[in-house]
Structures are given as structure tokens and as C-alpha cells.
Amino acid sequence: MGKEAHLQKNIGFFVATSLVVGTVIGSGIFMKPGIVISETGNSTYALWAWIIGGIITLASGLTIAEVSVKIPKTGGLYAYIEEVYGKFWGFLCGWVQTLIYGPAIMGALGLYFGSLVAALFGLSPESNTLIGIITILFLGFMNLLGTRYGGFIQNISTIGKLIPIILIAAFGIFQGDVPVLNMDSGVHQSFNMGAAILATLWAYDGFMNVGYMAGEMKNPAKTLPRAIISGIVIVIVAYLTVNIAMLHVLPARKIVELGPNAASSAATILFGKMGGNLLTIGILISIFGCLNGKILTFPRIPYAMAADGYLPAAKSMAYIHPKTKTPVGATIWQLIIAILMMVLTNPDRLSDIAIFSVFTFYVFSFAAVFKLRKQGLSQNLYKVPLYPLTPSLAIIGGLYILGNTLITKPVDALLSIVVTLIGIPVYLKLNANKQKQSLSKKAS
């Protein structure tokens, strides 16, 4: 193929790190503290839930960094699964990410963004979906102009989202006077650390998305693991400091009562009424940057699949613009699916379905480290520390999410499983067509 068919390698360490931070820090840090406290029963256990969730995420990031060094291809998780387990499992992974995970996450973030904008300006709830769709289309257009534009938005929004986090953390810790530890949640229910950790893991999700851009990095073998590890450490520190600050400003039971409005209320106490509004704007910037990161990275999955001929309408899905060097076809299809999901259901449902759908393949990718080392492919620049403990912890964390969702959200889990199974006959058909084409070429 001609030179115009290749993705441009212009992503460095800072953009890659900002992608990790930007795609992880979204709405979770502001929406989940009350849920975590209510599930654990008091503030000390809640902080431990955030720490354990962070440890599981860090173990996952350290593990996937070794896999990404060995397989530095565009497509991320899809490329890892295909390389280690073969075309069939790679296809199912990409199929699920293309039809469920990517669009569902984008749609959920778009709807969250729309609801906050509507509330900030006093618009009717019916406008939530329209605002979210307009936002997704705008970011999609900007990313189609080139990775430097999407990367620029990512850098600016990442810095922007960290400013309110830093302010509320610093002022809350030093000016608050409410006891932080051993504060009762005020909710009389059974202790459920598992559910609390699950809530934190939703807030931590997204660290793997930077791997989708490996084929567009200047030096993926060095850049990718450094970006994953640096980004996750920044997120863990941010989450812990914000939670400690909020607990130092608001009683634990008040955070539970306020739910997603707790952060804004804490800002109002610290900075006055305007502070609450500024924090809402900060949350909007956070979600905006997170959504941009998803739109920048997710289309690389169907692009990689279509380039291999393993998606319906592969020619259009694999189309790269000759000037901007961006995957136009894959991006447009992902936006269409995301908008359809936004119209059909709510953001909480989308997020539940998305997380379950992808974690089966997360577990496969963590286990790939063991298989790759048995094959003698470990002579690379980076190796996961504390092997085999670290990848084992990542696998256990992934299996926990799958088991918990099957028990607590059986309908959503079943929907994800059905869509995955539909991919089997699609793969068989596409694979048969490719074999026929190969035989016809040999015959000619």
C-alpha cells in the first residue's frame, strides 16, 4: 500500500501519559466517593477500598506494560489477544470493543457531560442527550483533523482537570477540620468491601487505552510502559488526596447523602458559592478530556481489525485520510454506534455493560505475560516487577469484577455475552471469505 495508508508516528511520552491520566480521570473521582463510603460503612475502610483498587490497577498496568513492549502494535488489547491467543480470540476481543465497550464508554461520558451542562445552565433534562451528541461530534471532528489536534486537546484538558483536583485536595487537607478516619457512613447496611472496590475500579478504568496508539508512538518500547506507570501513579495520588480532602471538609455521612454533588458542596465550603460552580466546570473539563481520550483511541481497534479484513465493510472501516493520516472510517462508525446507544439507554447502564464486556479480555491479556515468558520472549527493555505476584494480582482483580457483575447485574452481563457469541458466526464467515480469496489468488 502507499505511504498515505500508514498512521503517523508523532506521539511522545507527555501526550501518551496525558492519555492515561485523561482517559482514567473522568467522572468516577466525583461520582463514586459516596458509594464507596456507604458500602464500607465508615471513612477508614473507604480509603482502604481506594488504595486496594489502586493497587489492583497498578498491578494491571505494570503487567500490561510488559505485554505492550513485546507487542507494540496499534490496536492495543485487540493486538495483544490476537498475537498471543490467535485470530479467533483476537477477533472476539476486537468485536466486543468495537460494538460494546468503546461506544458504550463514549456514550456514557457524553450523557454525563450533557447532564452536567444542562444542570449548570438550568436547561431541561430532555436536552442532556442532544448536548452529549453535539459534544461527541465536535470531538470526533477535531480528532479527525489529526492526532496533533486530539493530542493538544488532551494535554490542555488533562492540565485543566488537574487544577480543580489539586485545589480541592490542597485546601481541603489544610483548611478542613472534620475528622477523617473512623467516621460512620450513617447508612445501616451490611459491610461490602467488594462492592466498594468495584466502584473504585470503575473510576480507575481506562489505563489500557493508550496501548491502542502504540503504532503511532515515536518509540513505543520505551514510551508505552513509562506512560502507563506514570499515568496510573498520578491517578492514584489524585484519588486518595481528593477523598482525604473531602472527608476533612464534609462528614462521611454527608458525602453519602450528597452523592455526586459532594465534591461541589466541599468546594462551596472552601471557596464560597462560586467555588461550587467552578468545581462543576472542573468536572466538565475532566469528563470532556476523558471523552476526547476515548474518541482519540477507541477507533484504532476497528481500524486494526478492518486493516486485517476481519470486520464487515472492512474497506471503509480501514480508510485513512491521505492528509490528516487519521482513521476516518473507523472513527465515524464508532461515533454512530455511540450516538445510537445514547439515544436508547442511560449512562449508568452503559458503563455497567461496558466494564463487564471488556474484563474477560483484560484477564486474558494479563495471563499473556506467563505465556510470553514461556515462549522465551522476555529479552526486552521492560519486565513486570515482582513476577509472578504482580500479574497474578491483576488476574484476581479482573476475575473479581466478572464474578461480581454476574451476581449483581445478571441482565447486563447476559447482554454482553450474547453480543460476544454473535461474533462467532461473523468471524467464521469472514474467515471463510478470506480463505476463498487466498485460494483464488493462488489459482490465478
Side-chain angles (χ1 to χ4, degrees):
M1 298 180 72
K3 186 177 180 180
E4 72 277 6
H6 297 286
L7 296 170
Q8 196 170 4
K9 293 179 178 291
N10 59 3
I11 295 178
F13 169 71
F14 186 76
V15 171
T17 302
S18 71
L19 276 171
V20 176
V21 176
T23 54
V24 172
I25 298 180
S27 60
I29 178 62
F30 306 107
M31 304 294 179
K32 297 298 184 181
I35 295 174
V36 176
I37 294 172
S38 67
E39 294 290 356
T40 55
N42 75 57
S43 57
T44 301
Y45 289 133
L47 290 175
W48 273 112
W50 285 100
I51 292 171
I52 295 170
I55 291 172
I56 293 173
T57 304
L58 185 57
S60 302
L62 291 169
T63 302
I64 208 63
E66 179 172 331
V67 177
S68 68
V69 165
K70 293 176 172 64
I71 312 172
K73 297 180 179 179
T74 294
L77 184 62
Y78 159 70
Y80 309 152
I81 298 296
E82 181 186 68
E83 183 79 13
V84 176
Y85 300 102
K87 288 279 186 184
F88 173 72
W89 288 105
F91 172 84
L92 285 184
C93 175
W95 173 261
V96 166
Q97 291 186 88
T98 297
L99 292 182
I100 307 176
Y101 179 67
I105 292 293
M106 289 160 54
L109 289 170
L111 290 172
Y112 283 135
F113 185 85
S115 65
L116 285 175
V117 170
L120 183 65
F121 293 100
L123 303 176
S124 66
E126 288 75 19
S127 63
N128 296 356
T129 302
L130 179 59
I131 295 170
I133 290 173
I134 292 172
T135 304
I136 279 183
L137 289 174
F138 169 75
L139 288 175
F141 174 74
M142 292 302 297
N143 279 283
L144 287 176
L145 292 178
T147 54
R148 68 180 180 274
Y149 294 104
F152 175 76
I153 292 174
Q154 197 61 42
N155 290 339
I156 296 300
S157 61
T158 297
I159 294 171
K161 75 172 60 181
L162 289 177
I163 290 175
I165 288 175
I166 291 170
L167 286 175
I168 195 170
F171 282 86
I173 289 173
F174 291 107
Q175 292 189 8
D177 57 4
V178 178
V180 173
L181 301 178
N182 294 317
M183 293 293 101
D184 187 80
S185 67
V187 179
H188 300 289
Q189 63 180 47
S190 59
F191 174 77
N192 194 341
M193 178 62 82
I197 295 172
L198 181 61
T200 69
L201 289 175
W202 156 248
Y204 282 117
D205 184 53
F207 65 90
M208 198 181 290
N209 294 354
V210 71
Y212 305 151
M213 309 290 291
E216 296 161 80
M217 290 182 183
K218 298 172 184 176
N219 187 350
K222 288 185 177 180
T223 301
L224 202 48
R226 287 171 56 205
I228 291 173
I229 295 166
S230 300
I232 291 175
V233 170
I234 291 171
V235 171
I236 292 173
V237 172
Y239 282 11
L240 282 176
T241 52
V242 166
N243 273 275
I244 291 172
M246 288 177 60
L247 285 165
H248 205 28
V249 174
L250 291 169
R253 62 179 61 208
K254 192 67 176 178
I255 294 176
V256 174
E257 179 186 328
L258 291 168
N261 296 314
S264 296
S265 297
T268 300
I269 293 172
L270 291 170
F271 307 113
K273 185 177 180 180
M274 185 174 289
N277 291 333
L278 289 175
L279 202 283
T280 300
I281 294 173
I283 296 172
L284 286 170
I285 293 173
S286 177
I287 298 176
F288 187 81
C290 185
L291 179 57
N292 178 75
K294 307 299 187 186
I295 293 174
L296 177 62
T297 57
F298 280 143
R300 272 63 185 177
I301 306 164
Y303 163 76
M305 294 179 69
D308 291 339
Y310 277 99
L311 270 184
K315 187 175 181 180
S316 63
M317 293 278 275
Y319 175 70
I320 295 177
H321 195 279
K323 291 185 178 180
T324 63
K325 309 294 193 224
T326 53
V328 176
T331 300
I332 291 174
W333 277 109
Q334 288 277 275
L335 294 178
I336 290 172
I337 298 172
I339 290 170
L340 286 173
M341 289 183 169
M342 294 170 72
V343 172
L344 293 173
T345 188
N346 63 75
D348 293 327
R349 187 79 180 274
L350 288 177
S351 62
D352 289 339
I353 293 172
I355 295 301
F356 178 84
S357 69
V358 79
F359 256 88
T360 297
F361 299 100
Y362 274 11
V363 172
F364 274 113
S365 69
F366 302 149
V369 169
F370 297 99
K371 191 168 183 178
L372 288 170
R373 289 208 178 188
K374 286 182 179 179
Q375 294 173 356
L377 301 175
S378 59
Q379 301 304 313
N380 290 86
L381 296 174
Y382 171 84
K383 294 181 181 179
V384 59
L386 300 178
Y387 178 89
L389 177 62
T390 302
S392 297
L393 181 58
I395 292 170
I396 292 170
L399 290 174
Y400 166 75
I401 287 184
L402 294 174
N404 187 276
T405 306
L406 279 167
I407 295 171
T408 60
K409 307 279 185 179
V411 175
D412 294 341
L414 181 61
L415 180 60
S416 297
I417 292 170
V418 168
V419 174
T420 304
L421 293 177
I422 291 173
I424 296 176
V426 175
Y427 169 80
L428 295 175
K429 177 65 175 176
L430 291 172
N431 197 48
N433 291 341
K434 284 181 68 70
Q435 289 179 352
K436 287 180 182 179
Q437 292 173 3
S438 179
L439 290 174
S440 63
K441 285 182 181 179
K442 290 180 180 179
S444 61

